[in-house]
Amino acid sequence: MSQNTSSTQTIFPFVYLKECAQFHLKESENSQEGHFHSSMSCIIFSAFTMEAFLNYMGSCVFDFWDELERHLTSVNKLNVICSQLNIQSDFSDRPFQSFVKAFNLKNYLNQGKIVSYSQAAPLASAGHASGWTGWEERCTPEQAREIYEDMLRIMKVLDQEVEGETSPLSIEEMSQSNLS
């Protein structure tokens, strides 16, 4: 007679999003040809990671997070959580400044507004046209690394302040936490 046993596993979407950001960061740093797109992907996945992590942290800090989070922007989510945990969030300095950069880029691209410009020069070697609106200048391996690392710093600071919760920040850590 076989005995059925079941175990509960918890999936943390922010972990998979972080892994995507990390993958694209490595791609941007190792590729001369595709660094623009890989850097952009790293920054956008960093913003997605933070959004998912903030929703997780919010649910750890507030019993009514599901109601609250629907009415807040990403910056307001971070502010509310930081305020509750007595963490200073100075958006004029790193790491919080990188949070704003990542979300501004994500929001700008997500809105998909068409930009027109007069092209007097040939396409730039990075694979995009000169005359864009400025966000493309942020899609560099250096900016991607800065934003990715600052995202991790914010996540660690928040995680340390939530009593009784330790969040896995990698797939390996998530797998280990599911073993217990």
Side-chain angles (χ1 to χ4, degrees):
M1 182 167 166
S2 67
Q3 201 173 16
N4 288 337
T5 59
S6 66
S7 64
T8 301
Q9 293 193 348
T10 304
I11 302 296
F12 297 91
F14 63 83
V15 173
Y16 292 98
L17 294 167
K18 183 197 79 71
E19 298 288 330
C20 287
Q22 184 178 42
F23 171 82
H24 288 291
L25 175 61
K26 288 177 185 174
E27 287 291 311
S28 75
E29 293 176 333
N30 295 327
S31 169
Q32 288 296 324
E33 200 169 298
H35 73 85
F36 173 76
H37 296 103
S38 295
S39 297
M40 181 192 321
S41 296
C42 173
I43 294 167
I44 290 170
F45 273 106
S46 293
F48 289 160
T49 301
M50 277 304 304
E51 183 84 31
F53 188 76
L54 289 175
N55 286 330
Y56 169 71
M57 281 285 109
S59 69
C60 294
V61 174
F62 298 98
D63 292 335
F64 52 92
W65 184 254
D66 287 341
E67 281 296 313
L68 183 62
E69 66 99 8
R70 286 183 260 169
H71 305 286
L72 298 173
T73 65
S74 302
V75 171
N76 288 341
K77 287 179 185 182
L78 181 57
N79 278 330
V80 165
I81 293 168
C82 285
S83 177
Q84 184 69 22
L85 298 174
N86 294 317
I87 297 171
Q88 286 285 74
S89 53
D90 179 0
F91 291 99
S92 67
D93 201 9
R94 290 181 63 197
F96 294 98
Q97 185 179 56
S98 291
F99 178 91
V100 173
K101 287 180 187 178
F103 277 90
N104 284 346
L105 177 63
K106 179 197 75 87
N107 292 338
Y108 181 83
L109 293 173
N110 189 49
Q111 292 168 4
K113 293 189 178 177
I114 306 298
V115 177
S116 298
Y117 58 92
S118 174
Q119 184 175 342
L123 291 180
S125 61
H128 59 277
S130 60
W132 283 11
T133 59
W135 62 263
E136 73 282 355
E137 294 170 4
R138 291 184 223 135
C139 296
T140 65
E142 297 79 20
Q143 280 288 296
R145 172 156 296 284
E146 182 177 292
I147 288 170
Y148 175 80
E149 288 178 352
D150 285 349
M151 171 199 65
L152 292 179
R153 286 175 55 198
I154 293 169
M155 290 171 70
K156 287 177 183 175
V157 166
L158 294 176
D159 191 51
Q160 290 171 353
E161 293 300 318
V162 176
E163 217 172 291
E165 293 290 331
T166 303
S167 308
L169 298 180
S170 71
I171 291 175
E172 293 80 27
E173 289 178 27
M174 186 172 60
S175 297
Q176 291 171 0
S177 72
N178 283 326
L179 295 176
S180 55

